[in-house]
Amino acid sequence: MQHDTTPTTRTTDVVSTHTVFGAPCWVSLTSRDVRATEEFYTAVLGWEWRKAKLGDHFRIALANGAPVAGIAAVAAMWHMAVAWTPYFAVRSADKAAGRAQERGGTTAVGPISLPPGRAALLADRDGATFGIWEGELVTDWETWRRASPAFIRLHTRDAFDAAIFYGEVLEWASADTGCCEVTYEAEEVVLRSKGEVVARIESGALESAPDPTIRPHWQIHFAVSDVAACARAAEQHGGSVLRLDTEEAVLRDPDGAQFTVTAGRRR
């Protein structure tokens, strides 16, 4: 969900999901403890922090002064799983949630009102969790989009089937201005917004796999300058390394949330 929901007084900074829709618009971590989460991600990714408008359990992470992600330390309070989740911009959260349910998806939370918008936490028909947001985007969202500090990839059972589900729910490839474009490249589904690659979908995940890294899920990638250094810092601060090579590392924070660090702006 969007954590920084106070609209800016400069109207030129306001971007709405009614004009930009279908694309990823934010990433959020549900955690258990604000302080511990801040300490870990500061050590691993060098993030700084500012308070969010939703209260003491919420934070906005900053990289080089630009907003990167939101933290919601509500996992225990709201009985939610600890996890990184991508949020997609939609013109109507209620209609998008309804379309997801009609196509075999499920609703975990919402849609709920978080002025100036509405949010919901959903799962697709293979169980991969994602969020939707209707309303004004986070302050400085254009800076976030241009910096592209985060990238998302869906590991799923069948990329083509998933593309149909998300395309219908999120209105990909509609005729309206502001929507996303979908192409099939090298056996992957590639999602573009304003010409930029913003997400990829790949096949091969197993629904019943005991390893959560193999089951269908959205993986959040953060661009870093030194993958190996991030992996070392994760282990030194209570996390773990699930996979490591020269280009990227799959890491797990002390609470169990999984994420990937990727060299540069690899897409």
Side-chain angles (χ1 to χ4, degrees):
M1 68 186 69
Q2 303 289 31
H3 302 79
D4 197 6
T5 56
T6 297
T8 177
T9 57
R10 296 175 295 164
T11 56
T12 55
D13 288 344
V14 176
V15 179
S16 168
T17 62
H18 296 285
T19 56
V20 177
F21 60 92
C25 63
W26 195 236
V27 293
S28 178
L29 171 64
T30 305
S31 72
R32 295 190 177 92
D33 180 83
V34 168
R35 186 181 298 276
T37 300
E38 286 183 342
E39 290 177 355
F40 177 81
Y41 285 95
T42 296
V44 175
L45 297 175
W47 288 349
E48 297 178 337
W49 306 90
R50 75 174 184 225
K51 292 184 178 180
K53 304 299 190 293
L54 292 181
D56 292 338
H57 295 287
F58 300 86
R59 294 289 188 275
I60 302 295
L62 306 173
N64 299 317
V68 181
I71 305 297
V74 296
M77 184 181 2
W78 291 0
H79 305 288
M80 296 174 66
V82 172
W84 277 103
T85 303
Y87 278 75
F88 293 84
V90 295
R91 292 187 285 188
S92 169
D94 293 274
K95 290 181 179 179
R99 289 194 295 267
Q101 289 181 316
E102 290 169 0
R103 289 157 177 80
T106 57
T107 300
V109 178
I112 57 175
S113 294
L114 292 170
R118 288 175 65 73
L121 186 64
L122 312 174
D124 66 24
R125 50 192 172 215
D126 284 330
T129 301
F130 66 102
I132 54 175
W133 172 257
E134 170 199 354
E136 294 178 9
L137 299 176
V138 66
T139 304
D140 298 329
W141 181 79
E142 283 288 358
T143 301
W144 181 85
R145 182 183 66 80
R146 288 193 299 269
S148 297
F151 177 73
I152 64 173
R153 182 186 294 271
L154 176 62
H155 301 271
T156 191
R157 177 183 53 81
D158 185 320
F160 183 79
D161 181 73
I164 293 174
F165 172 86
Y166 284 96
E168 293 176 342
V169 171
L170 301 174
E171 300 183 277
W172 291 350
S174 75
D176 296 336
T177 302
C179 72
C180 295
E181 300 175 353
V182 180
T183 58
Y184 299 90
E185 303 171 14
E187 300 184 353
E188 287 187 333
V189 176
V190 180
L191 181 68
R192 286 181 170 83
S193 177
K194 297 184 178 180
E196 295 290 331
V197 176
V198 293
R200 292 180 183 270
I201 301 176
E202 65 177 28
S203 300
L206 303 176
E207 293 178 81
S208 59
D211 184 347
T213 65
I214 300 175
R215 293 198 295 266
H217 68 284
W218 281 99
Q219 187 77 359
I220 312 297
H221 295 243
F222 295 105
V224 299
S225 58
D226 191 330
V227 169
C230 290
R232 288 194 300 270
E235 291 183 318
Q236 291 167 358
H237 291 83
S240 55
V241 178
L242 304 181
R243 189 177 71 246
L244 172 65
D245 60 37
T246 57
E247 293 295 322
E248 67 179 31
V250 180
L251 308 177
R252 183 176 286 151
D253 72 18
D255 275 343
Q258 180 182 306
F259 63 102
T260 297
V261 293
T262 304
R265 294 183 59 181
R266 185 180 175 208
R267 289 291 180 267

